[in-house]
Amino acid sequence: MKTIRRLALSAALSLSAPPADACTRLLYETGTKSYMVGRSMDWMVDPNTDLWAFPKGMARDGAVPQGAIRWTAKHGSVISSFYNLATVDGMNDAGLVANVLYLVESEYGDPAASKKPKLSIGAWAQYVLDNFGTVAEAVTALRKEPFAIVAPDLPDGHKAGGHMAVADATGDSAIFEYLGGKLVIHHGAQYRVMTNSPSYDQQLAINTYWNTVGGLQFLPGTARAADRFARISWNLNAAAKEADPRLATATTFSLIRAISVPLGIADPEQPNIASTVWRTVSDTAAKRYYFESAYNPAIFWVDLEKILPAAGGKPVKLDLSGRPMLSGEVSESFVAAEPFKFISR
């Protein structure tokens, strides 16, 4: 117990570093043993997110001037963009879900010192969605580190650093982090929650401590990442596993809303505390991608079977600028568009 408390204290003290967002990701098991992924995007400003549907067969590259990795998408996907410079959230036609959350401790090493092909951090999640149908496939391939990540600054000046959670239709899960230039992978269905700082091993230590306290007695209540990790972990374990698809979706949304930060709550001195600007729920069984803007009192979604372009077709985009009021299935609102370019130096 003393060891757990020392680890928890050490990790908590490390939170003085100022990460730039406070996102949360969870993996919910339904009563029919299917799985849904809920995610919140918290940011100091609106990151100008749009929704995109990309076809399989699409030629891609790592979006760096020299030595970029190249691939052809094996899967189609629906994604949420970030400043239209990065894929930060999405699901592919196999039900694989990728969520990128900010992690200030991220260190990718010096890409110039590597002989490996290069990949923009903005394309990291898209590479996974394009190439893999299961978590196991992604872990096996990425463990070989087939690329070196290039991570330039974001348009707002923040360091572009993040860790990635991946889940599939079987409930398998993995967390990928680059720490000290080394790739660290936590692979297993037990890794159902991810927030931000500190690194994932320290988050697990903090959560172990709170498990000894007991959620019915006390749960930490701030918007800091370690507190959110402990709170959503307890709520997720306590939530009913609903068999009805509509109730299962509602439960996933209720969990991610409960951990969200209200609009107007922000602290310029603590950028890790920022308002939630949108939420997503990915239904890996129904292949349905839900989106909820914090600025509108409505939910909309797309069914991947309806929206994904045919193999080799053109990408389509749902323009969310101006915060349009949308609800229900919105596949018909997407229009053909040239794909955005991933952030590069």
Side-chain angles (χ1 to χ4, degrees):
M1 179 63 69
K2 289 182 179 179
T3 299
I4 292 173
R5 287 177 175 171
R6 282 199 302 271
L7 286 170
L9 177 59
S10 173
L13 289 174
S14 74
L15 295 179
S16 58
D21 81 336
C23 306
T24 302
R25 170 266 198 187
L26 63 90
L27 176 60
Y28 169 75
E29 180 183 345
T30 75
T32 59
K33 294 191 178 300
S34 64
Y35 295 87
M36 297 185 177
V37 177
R39 182 260 172 82
S40 65
M41 166 59 77
D42 303 358
W43 201 251
M44 294 293 292
V45 296
D46 188 340
N48 302 318
T49 292
D50 293 318
L51 263 59
W52 292 80
F54 295 127
K56 63 181 178 181
M58 187 173 176
R60 294 282 201 181
D61 65 64
V64 296
Q66 294 182 334
I69 191 170
R70 299 181 183 278
W71 70 94
T72 299
K74 299 175 184 176
H75 298 277
S77 60
V78 171
I79 68 96
S80 294
S81 66
F82 188 70
Y83 291 109
N84 276 328
L85 293 171
T87 293
V88 290
D89 194 86
M91 179 169 58
N92 71 16
D93 53 22
L96 186 74
V97 180
N99 318 96
V100 176
L101 281 61
Y102 198 84
L103 181 69
V104 73
E105 291 86 357
S106 296
E107 293 182 20
Y108 303 100
D110 181 6
S114 174
K115 295 182 180 180
K116 295 178 180 179
K118 309 300 188 289
L119 177 74
S120 166
I121 183 64
W124 190 22
Q126 194 63 55
Y127 181 90
V128 169
L129 293 172
D130 285 353
N131 285 290
F132 311 117
T134 67
V135 171
E137 289 178 11
V139 169
T140 297
L142 296 188
R143 184 173 279 133
K144 298 175 184 177
E145 299 191 53
F147 47 74
I149 287 184
V150 178
D153 290 343
L154 295 172
D156 61 5
H158 282 114
K159 173 186 173 185
H163 52 178
M164 178 169 58
V166 180
D168 65 27
T170 72
D172 198 6
S173 178
I175 311 297
F176 298 86
E177 296 180 335
Y178 283 86
L179 304 172
K182 304 292 185 182
L183 176 62
V184 179
I185 303 174
H186 300 265
H187 180 201
Q190 69 271 32
Y191 301 120
R192 300 195 296 155
V193 170
M194 188 172 81
T195 56
N196 311 106
S197 296
S199 59
Y200 203 72
D201 58 340
Q202 294 187 56
Q203 288 282 22
L204 294 174
I206 296 170
N207 195 53
T208 299
Y209 165 74
W210 284 112
N211 284 340
T212 67
V213 175
L216 291 177
Q217 303 300 319
F218 182 79
L219 282 172
T222 78
R224 292 168 64 168
D227 286 6
R228 286 182 286 109
F229 192 107
R231 206 157 64 248
I232 196 60
S233 294
W234 191 88
N235 287 338
L236 183 59
N237 287 328
K241 296 179 180 180
E242 300 290 353
D244 179 87
R246 183 161 57 176
L247 284 177
T249 305
T251 298
T252 309
F253 265 113
S254 72
L255 287 164
I256 203 64
R257 287 173 183 146
I259 207 68
S260 297
V261 181
L263 286 174
I265 304 297
D267 183 352
E269 301 300 320
Q270 296 287 330
N272 57 309
I273 301 176
S275 298
T276 298
V277 293
W278 51 256
R279 288 171 283 264
T280 62
V281 167
S282 300
D283 185 334
T284 65
K287 308 296 191 301
R288 180 172 290 166
Y289 188 71
Y290 295 89
F291 190 94
E292 180 184 44
S293 169
Y295 300 102
N296 287 325
I299 297 171
F300 61 88
W301 63 87
V302 289
D303 292 320
L304 269 65
E305 290 185 358
K306 293 181 179 180
I307 188 57
L308 287 181
K314 291 186 175 296
V316 292
K317 171 186 174 182
L318 180 61
D319 189 339
L320 298 181
S321 61
R323 301 168 183 168
M325 180 68 77
L326 300 169
S327 63
E329 214 286 335
V330 296
S331 293
E332 293 184 356
S333 297
F334 283 68
V335 298
E338 288 298 314
F340 63 85
K341 297 183 183 301
F342 295 111
I343 187 170
S344 64
R345 294 190 189 281

